[in-house]
Amino acid sequence: MKVTVVGAGAVGATVADNIARKELCEDLVLLDIKEGIAEGKALDMMQTAALLNFDTKITGSTNDYSKTSGSDVVVITSGLPRKPGMTREELIGVNANIVKGVAQNILQHSPEAIFIIISNPMYTMTYLTLQATGLPKKRIIGMGGALDSARFRCYLSMALKCSPADLNALVIGGHGDTTMIPLMRYATWNSVPVTEFLDAEQQKQIISDTMVGGATLTKLIGTSAWYAPGAAGAAMVEAIVRDEKKLISCSVPLEGEYGQQDICMGVPVILGKNGWEQILDYKLNEEEQALFSKSAEAVRGMNDVLKTL
Ligand SMILES: NC(=O)c1ccc[n+]([C@@H]2O[C@H](COP(=O)([O-])OP(=O)(O)OC[C@H]3O[C@@H](n4cnc5c(N)ncnc54)[C@H](O)[C@@H]3O)[C@@H](O)[C@H]2O)c1
């Protein structure tokens, strides 16, 4: 197995660090456009191998795509992160050009790769990658729901004073502060609906904290977060390279599912060695379906901006 992570910044380096620690592949390439940063971080990580006991070989590359040749999975994190007060959507102008160029370069050297897109605005960047590469839709996957669902479980666990590992909870829809949909009705604590333990006010607070989870961190740190995004990206790589058939909320191209088409949106999918293998049809109630449609409208508006760039 060979995995490439493009962008050796905060998120990319954390994805790579998690992949190496878990030995998800034999060869891991970290690529960045900034001279030396990928080589430096790769070497720094290689120097943890003796301490952490992993055998993954990590190579850094300054924009030399030949080193990424034959990758099975590629994670794209290149692009600007948001600053406090910014929305993810404001990044579209700069990041669209970066992501498109990167995807085309990768494709030349790894025509069989499965793409995981992390750069923001992630839903539009996933849609753009689909268009720019012309790859089969099952090999294009956006990372947003994995992170947002982990944040949802984190806030739920704090309110319930329980282990996040005992919780099942998904966020679907868009990946913006106003477009994501934490599915409270479907969230369970070891099979029991969490709604049995939380009053309406608590539920509302958890949903709202989850939706602005990224913005809260951006305000605290001064830039966008990386530990949870990095772990979420690596969890998706793990599901693919180990063929886990794991159910994860991911942004994938829809063709009628959840009433949408010609768009990439966050829905529950099964991830395995072929990329995303199946979309699960959760029975949304009227209110949830209305939120999904509204979210899709916002994402579609952002996709339209691509035509003007
Ligand atoms: N989808 C999510 O859930 C999620 C979560 C967190 C961050 N993000 C997004 O991920 C992206 C990266 O965030 P970060 O905090 O790591 O930013 P960062 O600034 O730390 O790192 C970005 C890296 O991309 C590199 N880069 C820029 N253009 C490039 C190109 N053409 N080729 C190769 N490398 C290039 C930069 O040199 C930099 O090292 C941002 O767009 C951010 O908004 C998404």
Side-chain angles (χ1 to χ4, degrees):
M1 275 289 169
K2 178 167 176 175
V3 177
T4 288
V5 179
V6 182
V11 175
T14 311
V15 172
D17 186 32
N18 279 287
I19 290 174
R21 284 171 190 249
K22 292 182 163 194
E23 291 186 313
L24 298 183
C25 56
E26 288 81 36
D27 281 315
L28 176 59
V29 179
L30 194 54
L31 181 145
D32 202 285
I33 201 166
K34 219 186 280 169
E35 186 76 40
I37 182 176
E39 287 88 340
K41 290 200 182 182
L43 185 57
D44 192 9
M45 273 180 234
M46 277 306 290
Q47 290 167 3
T48 69
L51 301 162
L52 301 172
N53 294 317
F54 64 78
D55 283 322
T56 293
K57 184 168 128 299
I58 314 164
T59 311
S61 161
T62 301
N63 228 26
D64 176 2
Y65 281 82
S66 66
K67 295 205 172 132
T68 68
S69 244
S71 295
D72 299 286
V73 182
V74 175
V75 185
I76 300 183
T77 76
S78 44
L80 293 185
R82 58 180 171 160
K83 296 275 166 237
M86 273 176 101
T87 64
R88 295 171 175 92
E89 285 71 19
E90 286 172 67
L91 302 166
I92 189 170
V94 179
N95 286 357
N97 278 329
I98 293 176
V99 170
K100 189 172 176 185
V102 165
Q104 286 167 338
N105 282 329
I106 286 288
L107 191 61
Q108 280 182 13
H109 294 87
S110 301
E112 302 302 325
I114 292 170
F115 284 62
I116 296 176
I117 318 301
I118 297 189
S119 312
N120 273 319
M122 180 275 299
Y123 284 82
T124 300
M125 294 303 112
T126 308
Y127 181 74
L128 173 66
T129 305
L130 179 74
Q131 292 185 325
T133 60
L135 283 177
K137 62 179 182 175
K138 300 221 167 180
R139 282 164 51 196
I140 307 279
I141 315 163
M143 192 291 283
L147 168 64
D148 300 332
S149 302
R151 287 181 172 151
F152 188 22
R153 285 164 69 184
C154 173
Y155 286 118
L156 280 169
S157 76
M158 292 196 281
L160 292 165
K161 300 189 176 30
C162 74
S163 163
D166 281 345
L167 295 167
N168 259 305
L170 276 197
V171 176
I172 60 166
H175 175 59
D177 298 349
T178 54
T179 58
M180 64 181 82
I181 307 163
L183 288 177
M184 185 63 84
R185 191 171 63 92
Y186 275 126
T188 59
W189 178 6
N190 270 340
S191 310
V192 183
V194 297
T195 48
E196 295 198 6
F197 306 102
L198 300 166
D199 62 33
E201 200 47 48
Q202 287 175 302
Q203 292 177 34
K204 208 169 134 206
Q205 189 62 49
I206 291 165
I207 288 174
S208 143
D209 287 345
T210 301
M211 291 176 76
V212 297
T216 302
L217 292 172
T218 303
K219 198 166 157 212
L220 287 168
I221 305 173
T223 184
S224 140
W226 56 89
Y227 291 114
M236 289 169 62
V237 172
E238 185 169 17
I240 294 166
V241 301
R242 296 206 205 280
D243 194 22
E244 289 180 327
K245 314 289 187 205
K246 237 186 176 161
L247 194 162
I248 300 181
S249 172
C250 299
S251 166
V252 299
L254 299 184
E255 287 177 357
E257 298 91 349
Y258 290 84
Q260 297 297 329
Q261 52 194 2
D262 190 29
I263 194 167
C264 293
M265 289 288 288
V267 290
V269 302
I270 301 295
L271 282 191
K273 66 175 189 304
N274 301 311
W276 67 267
E277 300 184 349
Q278 188 193 341
I279 296 176
L280 267 90
D281 183 17
Y282 277 27
K283 303 290 174 221
L284 300 185
N285 64 23
E286 215 170 293
E287 189 192 346
E288 292 156 351
Q289 185 59 53
L291 286 173
F292 195 90
S293 305
K294 192 163 161 241
S295 176
E297 225 172 274
V299 170
R300 193 165 274 116
M302 193 47 49
N303 292 350
D304 284 344
V305 176
L306 290 175
K307 295 178 196 150
T308 67
L309 298 175

